[in-house]
C-alpha cells in the first residue's frame, strides 16, 4: 500500500505524463460549456499551452516542499496573469478552464485509486495538497490580474484625459486649446481642472480656445466654459475664443453678460494674426 509521500510522486508523475491529454479534454469541455467567447481575445493554442504548463506544474508541485511549491506556483500565476491583462483577456474568460482542470485531475486520482493500493489517508493528503496548490495559484492569478488591470486602466484613463484636454504651447507664453467632439458635464469638469494646471505648468499668458470642432454646446457646458475663462483670468491668463459657429452663437445669446467680457475671433488664424504671430515671414 502506497504511503502519502509515494502517492504524491506517483500521481504527480501521472499528471505530468498526461498533461496534454487532460488539456485537450479541458478545452473540449470548456468549449461545450462556453461555446461563445463574447468578443473577447481568445487564442486556443495559447490557452492549450498554458493549461498544459499549469497541469505539469501542479504535478511537479505535489513532490515539492510546501514553501517551494508556493513560490513556484505564485511565480507562474503572476506571469500568466500579466499575459492575460496585456493580451486583453477578461478575468472571467481567463478563469473558465479552472473547474474543468480540477475535475479532470480528480478523475485521474480516482483511476489511480482503483489501480493502486492507495490508503484513505494518502488519498486525502493528495487531494488536500492539490486543492491548496490550485487555490493558491488561483488567488495569486486573480490578485495580480486585478492589480495590473487597475493600473493599466488608470494609465489609459490618464492618457484619454490628457488627449481630451490638449493644451498645446505654440510660442512663448502662448498656447491653444482645440476642443473637438462632444463636451458633456464630466468632460467640462476635467477640462477646467487640467487646463488650469497646464497653463501654470507651461507659464502661459495667452490661451486661444478654439471650439470650431465642438459638436454642440449646451447652456450648461457653456457655463462651464465661462467658468474656465474666469478662472484663467484670475491666474493672469488672457483668453481668446475662436471658431464660434452660428448655432453656438445663438445658444450663447442667453449669456450676454458673460460673453461681454470675452474676446472672440472668427478663426484661430485671425487670433494668431491679432497677437502678431501670423504675419508672413520674409526669408
Amino acid at each position: 500500500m502506497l504511503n502519502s509521500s509515494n502517492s504524491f510522486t506517483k500521481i504527480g508523475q501521472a499528471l505530468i505524463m498526461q498533461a496534454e491529454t487532460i488539456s485537450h479534454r479541458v478545452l473540449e469541455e470548456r468549449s461545450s460549456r462556453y461555446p461563445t467567447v463574447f468578443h473577447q481575445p481568445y487564442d486556443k493554442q495559447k490557452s492549450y499551452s498554458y493549461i498544459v504548463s499549469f497541469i505539469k506544474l501542479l504535478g511537479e508541485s505535489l513532490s515539492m516542499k510546501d514553501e517551494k511549491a508556493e513560490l513556484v506556483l505564485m511565480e507562474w500565476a503572476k506571469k500568466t496573469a500579466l499575459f492575460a491583462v496585456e493580451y486583453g483577456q477578461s478575468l472571467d474568460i481567463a478563469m473558465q478552464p479552472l473547474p474543468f482542470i480540477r475535475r479532470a485531475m480528480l478523475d485521474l486520482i480516482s483511476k489511480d485509486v482503483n489501480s493502486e493500493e492507495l490508503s484513505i489517508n494518502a488519498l486525502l493528503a493528495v487531494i488536500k495538497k492539490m486543492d491548496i496548490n490550485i487555490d493558491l495559484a488561483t488567488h495569486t492569478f486573480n490578485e495580480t490580474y486585478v492589480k495590473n488591470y487597475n493600473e493599466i486602466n488608470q494609465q489609459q484613463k490618464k492618457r484619454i484625459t490628457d488627449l481630451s484636454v490638449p493644451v498645446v504651447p505654440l510660442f512663448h507664453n502662448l498656447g491653444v486649446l482645440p476642443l473637438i467632439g462632444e463636451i458633456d458635464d464630466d468632460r467640462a469638469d476635467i477640462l477646467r481642472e487640467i487646463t488650469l494646471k497646464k497653463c501654470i505648468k507651461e507659464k502661459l499668458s495667452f490661451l486661444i480656445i478654439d471650439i470650431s470642432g465642438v459638436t454642440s454646446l449646451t447652456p450648461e457646458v457653456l457655463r462651464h466654459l465661462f467658468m474656465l475663462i474666469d478662472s484663467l483670468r484670475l491666474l493672469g491668463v488672457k483668453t481668446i475664443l475662436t471658431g464660434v459657429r452660428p448655432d453656438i452663437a445663438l445658444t450663447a445669446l442667453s449669456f450676454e453678460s458673460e460673453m461681454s467680457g470675452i474676446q472672440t475671433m472668427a478663426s484661430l488664424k485671425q487670433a494668431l494674426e491679432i497677437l502678431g504671430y501670423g504675419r508672413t515671414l520674409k526669408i
Side-chain angles (χ1 to χ4, degrees), residues 194-232:
I194 295 184
T195 299
L196 295 175
K197 290 180 179 179
K198 287 189 176 181
C199 285
I200 293 173
K201 180 181 178 182
E202 300 295 339
K203 300 179 180 179
L204 301 181
S205 300
F206 296 91
L207 181 67
I208 302 172
I209 303 176
D210 184 75
I211 60 174
S212 58
V214 174
T215 306
S216 64
L217 282 178
T218 64
E220 290 77 14
V221 174
L222 269 175
R223 191 173 287 108
H224 280 290
L225 186 58
F226 296 145
M227 288 174 62
L228 168 62
I229 292 173
D230 288 340
S231 299
L232 288 168

Side-chain angles (χ1 to χ4, degrees), residues 61-74:
S61 70
L62 287 177
S63 299
M64 296 177 184
K65 292 184 178 180
D66 292 343
E67 295 80 5
K68 183 178 180 181
E70 180 177 331
L71 290 174
V72 171
L73 287 166
M74 288 177 67

Side-chain angles (χ1 to χ4, degrees), residues 61-255:
S61 70
L62 287 177
S63 299
M64 296 177 184
K65 292 184 178 180
D66 292 343
E67 295 80 5
K68 183 178 180 181
E70 180 177 331
L71 290 174
V72 171
L73 287 166
M74 288 177 67
E75 184 65 25
W76 181 90
K78 289 177 181 178
K79 289 181 179 179
T80 308
L82 288 173
F83 169 79
V85 172
E86 293 171 358
Y87 185 57
Q89 191 173 63
S90 65
L91 184 58
D92 60 323
I93 297 296
M95 297 303 295
Q96 282 179 355
L98 185 61
F100 306 113
I101 291 174
R102 194 185 296 269
R103 183 164 63 189
M105 294 177 69
L106 288 173
D107 288 345
L108 177 66
I109 294 174
S110 298
K111 290 180 181 178
D112 279 346
V113 170
N114 294 328
S115 61
E116 300 284 348
E117 292 185 2
L118 193 64
S119 69
I120 295 297
N121 288 337
L123 172 63
L124 292 176
V126 170
I127 293 175
K128 179 182 178 181
K129 187 165 185 176
M130 186 184 72
D131 279 343
I132 289 173
N133 289 346
I134 291 177
D135 290 344
L136 174 66
T138 303
H139 173 76
T140 304
F141 181 95
N142 289 339
E143 186 177 54
T144 305
Y145 182 100
V146 171
K147 178 183 177 182
N148 284 273
Y149 177 84
N150 289 338
E151 288 177 355
I152 291 175
N153 193 40
Q154 288 300 321
Q155 292 171 2
Q156 290 176 339
K157 283 183 177 179
K158 185 180 183 301
R159 284 195 291 268
I160 291 172
T161 298
D162 290 342
L163 289 172
S164 68
V165 190
V167 175
V168 183
L170 293 180
F171 303 99
H172 178 65
N173 294 336
L174 172 65
V176 62
L177 172 60
L179 298 179
I180 300 172
E182 183 178 352
I183 300 179
D184 55 17
D185 288 343
D186 291 336
R187 187 182 175 194
D189 288 336
I190 295 172
L191 174 68
R192 186 171 66 254
E193 178 183 353
I194 295 184
T195 299
L196 295 175
K197 290 180 179 179
K198 287 189 176 181
C199 285
I200 293 173
K201 180 181 178 182
E202 300 295 339
K203 300 179 180 179
L204 301 181
S205 300
F206 296 91
L207 181 67
I208 302 172
I209 303 176
D210 184 75
I211 60 174
S212 58
V214 174
T215 306
S216 64
L217 282 178
T218 64
E220 290 77 14
V221 174
L222 269 175
R223 191 173 287 108
H224 280 290
L225 186 58
F226 296 145
M227 288 174 62
L228 168 62
I229 292 173
D230 288 340
S231 299
L232 288 168
R233 186 181 296 118
L234 291 174
L235 292 178
V237 180
K238 298 177 181 179
T239 59
I240 299 177
L241 191 63
T242 65
V244 180
R245 301 191 309 272
D247 58 319
I248 295 177
L250 290 173
T251 304
L253 284 176
S254 58
F255 297 92

